[in-house]
């Protein structure tokens, strides 16, 4: 029995049961938190493909999510079609931006530090551009976004809008998990491992480094772009501030690292923990930034391998359960 | 002189003043990165700490010089504590890994300090400085710009003398060029890193105080100050002290004209655009 293949179905069943257990009618506060949890897990898993697999530290998640959002919303309103029809356009638009950035970075042989600075600068430029393009984004004050609804589904299951949105995120997250699994279990994963460990040797054995890095950048940003139109459904509006580095990127990074890079469960565990901490700190709102700062320091100094890897090494390997437990 | 020319010259002086402030901030990044490979993403917080200290001291002793000197010294002390504690842990790792850990540890530090400060200082602040503007030949020149230029030039002169005329300063430059060689010559690298980190914190404090002459600054501004500093440092070649000063001047002048003639958003975008182009055209120095 190949337990590895069961990872994704187990995760999907578990995540699909959460609303049944926890969501209550009229308690939109709880369903909102679970939806946000799943969204950040998706963003972290998407980032893992570029950062975890190919060592490209892209620090413009927020900006890319924004590009996906505005591209989809603008396409919907200018073509006069429903937002459903243009979600893919948003994803493709964001993906092309990410692929171009990663292609250029790989061609110029930028290392991980330069890519991180480059993408931070791009992120800030994107936010300023969103602020400046008032016609498209509504500037500082933001704009309302068309709702993503499907009457026949929500009425069939008796779902509230947020429950529907949760399952929409679950659908996206499932596709992302499958893509992640396929990538890491195919020749792509092999190439990514080689590139990450030693780029020069990878290139000298015939791995098309530039192409693979650009591809990883495309997949990552494509999914981030798809998250965009769903993200803005939570509040029903979009402001440039929602896509800022401090709002999106910091959480995504902490989640990916605390959960564990290059694992499928890492983003789920990390997101659950961090979003829980974030909510627990709502009562002590003023200490929130402080606690997250301290968390970031401690995590990166002492805990760079993440919870999932820690459990795998300390618990699973120590008791050597071998074939009986998926590792 | 035509009105247009007067306006351009007035703006040029503002640009030079903001450029020198940017150069000081950029130098804070350049020195620490050049010496220890740590990209200090908490630099802007030290500027804010400097501003807040100056304001607090000014309330007790209403003298700008005293306030600035105390702020300068205390920010340096804060820098010393951070260096001895957090950065000692960061320096335990080596090479690329250290740079990566450094980015996240200092980013975390920035959030930690910002979060601690915002509890007590939730507003926007500026250091009170009543400099009269003057108008030679009908050119409107802000007193604060001239003061900023004068202070900045004094700081750069002091740094120039330090790095070129003193043994410790020359030892610092040696480490930036060849760490192993310097260690073999008996230079204590870790000590110099401490010195330079404290120096960068103090320069950032002065830059912050000068910056707040012309505008109000809140805790949230610290991140954009840091990013501006990183951009200046990157454009200047990351490990080059003179390059950083030139880059600061050029970017200061560009952004001042851009914000006067095109708009504030475009001014910020132009700063990032220059950084992105420079990173793509010549990434060599920071990559090595």
């Amino acid at each position: 029995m190949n337990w590895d293949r069961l990872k994704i179905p187990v995760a999907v069943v578990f995540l699909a049961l959460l609303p049944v257990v926890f969501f209550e009618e009229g308690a939109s506060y709880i369903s909102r938190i679970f939806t946000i949890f799943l969204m950040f897990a998706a963003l972290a898993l998407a980032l893992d493909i570029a950062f975890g697999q190919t060592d490209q530290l892209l620090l413009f998640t927020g900006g890319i999510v924004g590009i996906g959002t505005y591209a989809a919303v603008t396409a919907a309103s200018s073509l006069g079609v429903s937002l459903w029809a243009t979600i893919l356009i948003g994803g493709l638009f964001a993906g092309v931006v990410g692929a171009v950035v990663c292609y250029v970075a790989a061609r110029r042989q930028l290392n991980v530090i330069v890519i991180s600075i480059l993408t931070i600068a791009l992120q800030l430029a994107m936010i300023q551009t969103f602020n400046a393009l008032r016609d498209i984004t509504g500037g500082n004050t933001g704009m309302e976004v068309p709702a993503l609804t499907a009457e026949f589904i929500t009425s069939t299951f008796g779902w509230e809008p947020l429950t529907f949105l949760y399952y929409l995120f679950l659908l996206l997250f499932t596709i992302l998990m499958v893509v992640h699994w396929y990538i890491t279990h195919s020749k792509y994963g092999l190439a990514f491992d080689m590139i990450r460990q030693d780029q020069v040797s990878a290139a000298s054995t015939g791995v098309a480094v530039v192409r693979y890095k650009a591809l990883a950048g495309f997949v990552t940003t494509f999914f981030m772009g798809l998250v965009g139109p769903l993200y803005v459904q939570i509040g029903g509006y979009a402001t440039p501030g929602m896509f800022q580095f401090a709002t999106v990127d910091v959480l995504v990074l902490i989640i990916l690292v605390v959960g564990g890079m290059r694992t499928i469960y890492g983003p789920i565990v990390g997101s659950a923990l961090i979003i829980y901490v974030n909510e627990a700190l709502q009562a002590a709102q003023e200490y929130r930034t402080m606690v997250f700062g301290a968390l970031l320091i401690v995590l990166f100094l002492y805990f760079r391998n993440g919870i999932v890897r820690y459990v795998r090494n300390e618990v699973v390997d120590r008791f050597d359960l071998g074939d009986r437990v998926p590792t | 002189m035509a009105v247009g020319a007067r306006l351009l010259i007035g703006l040029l002086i503002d640009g030079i003043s903001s450029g020198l402030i940017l150069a000081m901030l950029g130098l804070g990044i350049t020195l620490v990165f050049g010496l220890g490979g740590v990209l200090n993403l908490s630099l802007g917080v030290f500027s804010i700490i400097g501003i807040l200290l100056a304001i607090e001291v000014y309330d007790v002793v209403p003298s700008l010089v005293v306030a600035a000197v105390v702020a300068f010294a205390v920010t340096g002390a804060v820098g010393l504590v951070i260096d001895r504690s957090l950065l000692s842990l960061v320096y335990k790792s080596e090479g690329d890994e250290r740079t990566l850990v450094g980015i996240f540890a200092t980013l975390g530090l920035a959030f930690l300090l910002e979060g601690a400060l915002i509890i007590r200082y939730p507003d926007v602040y500026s250091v009170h400085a009543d400099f009269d503007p003057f108008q030679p030949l009908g050119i409107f020149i802000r007193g604060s710009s001239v003061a900023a230029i004068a202070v900045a030039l004094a700081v750069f002169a002091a740094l120039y003398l330090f790095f070129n005329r003193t043994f410790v300063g020359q030892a610092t430059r040696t480490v930036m060029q060849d760490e192993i060689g310097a260690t073999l010559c008996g230079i204590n690298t870790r000590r110099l890193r401490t010195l330079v980190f404290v120096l960068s914190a103090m320069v950032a404090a002065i830059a912050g105080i000068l910056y707040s002459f012309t505008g109000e600054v809140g805790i949230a501004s610290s991140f954009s100050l840091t990013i501006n500093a990183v951009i200046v440092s990157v454009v200047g070649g990351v490990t080059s002290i003179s390059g950083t000063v030139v880059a600061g001047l050029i970017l200061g002048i560009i952004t001042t004209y851009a914000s006067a003639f095109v708009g504030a958003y475009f001014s910020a975008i132009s700063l990032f655009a220059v950084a992105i182009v420079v990173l793509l055209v010549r990434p060599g120095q920071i990559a090595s």
Side-chain angles (χ1 to χ4, degrees):
Chain A
M1 182 75 200
N2 188 351
W3 290 101
D4 202 29
R5 285 182 179 276
L6 277 179
K7 262 187 191 170
I8 294 175
V10 167
V12 172
V13 169
F14 172 75
L15 292 170
L17 286 176
L18 286 178
V20 181
V21 179
F22 291 104
F23 286 22
E24 286 165 39
E25 201 144 336
S28 65
Y29 172 74
I30 292 176
S31 34
R32 223 178 125 249
I33 292 171
F34 275 95
T35 310
I36 291 172
F37 143 74
L38 202 50
M39 182 193 84
F40 274 106
L43 288 176
L45 190 58
L47 182 64
D48 186 62
I49 294 170
F51 181 37
Q53 305 293 330
T54 64
D55 231 6
Q56 303 180 87
L57 179 48
L58 306 181
L59 293 181
F60 59 177
T61 305
I64 289 291
V65 172
I67 286 180
T69 309
Y70 291 127
V73 172
T74 311
S77 65
S78 58
L79 297 174
V81 293
S82 140
L83 188 56
W84 284 112
T86 58
I87 292 180
L88 266 180
I89 296 179
L92 285 173
F93 207 82
V96 169
V97 172
V100 169
V101 170
C102 289
Y103 174 80
V104 174
R107 274 306 287 270
R108 300 288 313 170
Q109 301 192 329
L110 305 185
N111 69 0
V112 59
I113 311 302
V114 186
I115 292 180
S116 66
I117 300 175
L118 175 72
T119 47
I120 278 199
L122 277 170
Q123 155 99 317
L124 296 167
M126 285 171 189
I127 300 294
Q128 293 293 348
T129 313
F130 296 157
N131 274 322
L133 294 174
R134 283 201 193 87
D135 297 341
I136 296 174
T137 66
N140 258 333
T141 45
M143 60 168 184
E144 286 192 18
V145 288
L148 278 176
T149 49
E151 192 57 46
F152 61 98
I153 296 178
T154 36
S155 57
T156 310
F157 292 99
W159 284 344
E160 296 191 29
L162 270 172
T163 316
F164 175 63
L165 188 60
Y166 178 90
Y167 282 109
L168 216 51
F169 269 119
L170 182 57
L171 176 67
L172 181 66
F173 190 64
T174 308
I175 298 171
L176 185 53
M177 280 194 290
V178 171
V179 170
H180 191 283
W181 199 88
Y182 171 73
I183 282 178
T184 47
H185 288 74
S186 64
K187 65 164 186 170
Y188 296 102
L190 204 57
F192 288 168
D193 285 345
M194 291 173 76
I195 290 171
R196 191 177 65 247
Q197 284 163 15
D198 191 334
Q199 199 162 304
V200 178
S201 335
S204 63
T205 48
V207 175
V209 173
V210 174
R211 212 172 65 206
Y212 279 110
K213 280 187 147 182
L215 179 77
F218 174 80
V219 176
T220 290
T221 50
F222 171 71
F223 279 100
M224 287 174 175
L226 291 184
V227 167
L230 274 62
Y231 171 40
V232 293
Q233 294 299 316
I234 297 174
Y237 61 93
T239 64
M242 286 165 62
F243 307 113
Q244 268 169 2
F245 184 81
T247 321
V248 181
D249 287 78
V250 174
L251 280 181
V252 172
L253 272 175
I254 299 180
I255 285 168
L256 182 56
V257 173
V258 71
M261 289 200 277
R262 296 189 286 285
T263 61
I264 283 196
Y265 286 167
I268 302 175
V269 174
S271 184
L273 182 71
I274 296 302
I275 297 301
Y276 174 76
V277 171
N278 195 19
E279 285 310 312
L281 286 173
Q282 289 296 330
Q285 186 66 36
E286 49 189 332
Y287 298 106
R288 197 181 145 258
T289 321
M290 248 175 98
V291 172
F292 269 105
L295 204 60
L296 199 60
I297 294 175
V298 174
L299 282 180
F300 271 90
L301 284 178
Y302 300 109
F303 217 62
R304 250 166 292 162
N305 289 328
I307 295 174
V308 169
R309 261 162 214 286
Y310 178 83
V311 171
R312 201 184 283 175
N313 294 340
E314 293 295 315
V315 181
V316 181
D317 288 357
R318 176 166 295 176
F319 297 105
D320 194 28
L321 298 174
D323 294 335
R324 282 169 288 149
V325 166
T327 50
Chain B
M1 216 186 313
V3 178
R6 285 187 203 134
L7 179 67
L8 287 180
I9 294 173
L11 281 175
L12 182 66
I13 290 169
D14 281 350
I16 291 173
S17 119
S18 97
L20 288 173
I21 294 172
L22 279 176
M24 287 204 251
L25 287 169
L27 212 55
I29 297 287
T30 297
L31 286 173
V32 175
F33 188 81
L35 207 62
V38 169
L39 193 70
N40 178 13
L41 290 184
S42 63
L43 187 77
V45 185
F46 289 96
S47 297
I48 304 289
I49 291 176
I51 296 169
L52 295 175
L53 281 168
I55 292 169
E56 292 288 355
V57 175
Y58 194 81
D59 274 350
V60 185
V61 188
S63 152
L64 200 57
V65 177
V66 173
V69 169
V70 173
F72 180 71
V74 177
T75 312
V78 175
L80 182 65
V81 173
I82 304 284
D83 177 85
R84 290 278 108 193
S85 52
L86 181 66
L87 287 188
S88 289
L89 295 171
V90 173
Y91 287 134
K92 276 184 187 161
S93 38
E94 290 292 331
D96 255 11
E97 169 143 6
R98 182 199 289 168
T99 314
L100 210 56
V101 175
I103 285 183
F104 287 108
T106 53
L107 189 66
L109 176 69
F111 281 108
L112 181 68
L113 293 176
E114 275 176 29
L117 286 172
I118 210 156
I119 297 172
R120 195 164 138 64
Y121 301 98
D123 269 330
V124 286
Y125 303 90
S126 67
V127 177
H128 281 291
D130 297 321
F131 296 109
D132 294 326
F134 45 98
Q135 296 186 300
L137 303 169
I139 301 167
F140 182 84
I141 298 174
R142 285 192 226 177
S144 57
S145 290
V146 177
I149 291 174
V151 174
L153 288 178
V155 169
F156 286 125
L159 285 174
Y160 178 82
L161 288 177
F162 172 71
F163 282 116
N164 288 287
R165 295 290 147 80
T166 66
F167 178 78
V168 181
Q170 284 173 333
T172 309
R173 282 169 55 215
T174 318
V175 177
M176 284 174 91
Q177 280 168 13
D178 184 352
E179 188 176 327
I180 296 170
T183 314
L184 290 176
C185 292
I187 294 170
N188 184 339
T189 320
R190 183 66 186 90
R191 262 233 190 95
L192 288 181
R193 284 191 185 133
T194 304
L195 176 79
V196 159
F197 190 80
V198 171
L199 204 65
S200 77
M202 286 157 84
V203 171
I206 302 183
I209 293 171
L210 295 177
Y211 183 79
S212 77
F213 282 173
T214 47
E216 291 182 316
V217 184
I219 308 292
S221 324
S222 75
F223 191 65
S224 66
L225 283 176
T226 306
I227 292 301
N228 287 353
V230 172
I231 286 172
V232 169
S233 175
V234 162
V235 172
V238 185
T239 50
S240 156
I241 297 173
S242 51
T244 306
V245 176
V246 174
L249 272 176
I250 292 173
L251 288 172
I253 294 168
I254 290 179
T255 49
T256 306
Y257 280 120
S259 98
F261 293 114
V262 196
Y265 290 134
F266 186 79
S267 156
I269 295 171
S270 69
L271 189 66
F272 303 130
V274 173
I276 291 161
V277 169
V278 170
L279 275 174
L280 292 177
V281 174
R282 37 174 287 218
Q285 267 145 325
I286 194 166
S288 58

